[in-house]
Amino acid sequence: QVRLVESGGGLVQAGGSLRLSCAASGRIFSINAMGWYRQAPGKQRELVASITSIGSRNYADSVKGRFTISRDNAKNTVYLQMNSLKPEDTAVYYCNAVGILTTTYESDAWGQGTQVTVSS
């Protein structure tokens, strides 16, 4: 069974940086796309960034120029480098993977989330 585990969240001051990691575990042949979503207090979950297996990237307008998504296909891991953080970036960040191909089936998965808090 596939599991996504996030790490790297924490407390940082405005203008600082954090790097989030998400590792997919299990007997995985490939993952079509991986991404990061976030949910701030009182707001709906929103897409932050995504990346396909061939490196095509997509970013929310609010993070363009500040965040960078990358992945290591061999390790089934996706990263989110977050620079110039703002208080409005405060949220729980969730890892997502779609088109996960295993020896048994193809599926999608979500991580349980990691808290990012940016102070003024």
Side-chain angles (χ1 to χ4, degrees):
Q1 187 168 334
V2 176
R3 179 186 291 271
L4 302 182
V5 180
E6 304 100 333
S7 63
L11 175 64
V12 65
Q13 294 187 36
S17 299
L18 285 173
R19 192 188 195 210
L20 305 183
S21 298
C22 173
S25 62
R27 301 182 69 179
I28 301 168
F29 288 130
S30 63
I31 301 174
N32 182 262
M34 302 184 77
W36 292 93
Y37 288 72
R38 68 185 181 187
Q39 187 165 23
K43 291 191 173 183
Q44 296 189 74
R45 189 173 299 188
E46 64 176 350
L47 175 68
V48 177
S50 64
I51 183 169
T52 69
S53 61
I54 59 172
S56 181
R57 296 172 171 85
N58 184 48
Y59 296 96
D61 288 341
S62 60
V63 307
K64 286 181 179 178
R66 299 189 297 121
F67 292 9
T68 302
I69 190 169
S70 61
R71 66 185 285 178
D72 185 333
N73 291 339
K75 295 181 178 180
N76 292 316
T77 301
V78 64
Y79 307 92
L80 185 68
Q81 179 66 47
M82 305 185 293
N83 298 327
S84 302
L85 283 162
K86 304 174 181 179
E88 47 264 47
D89 293 318
T90 296
V92 177
Y93 284 70
Y94 297 91
C95 180
N96 170 251
V98 297
I100 307 168
L101 182 62
T102 70
T103 56
T104 306
Y105 57 86
E106 183 173 342
S107 65
D108 302 337
W110 286 92
Q112 293 188 330
T114 184
Q115 177 71 47
V116 171
T117 302
V118 184
S119 63
S120 300

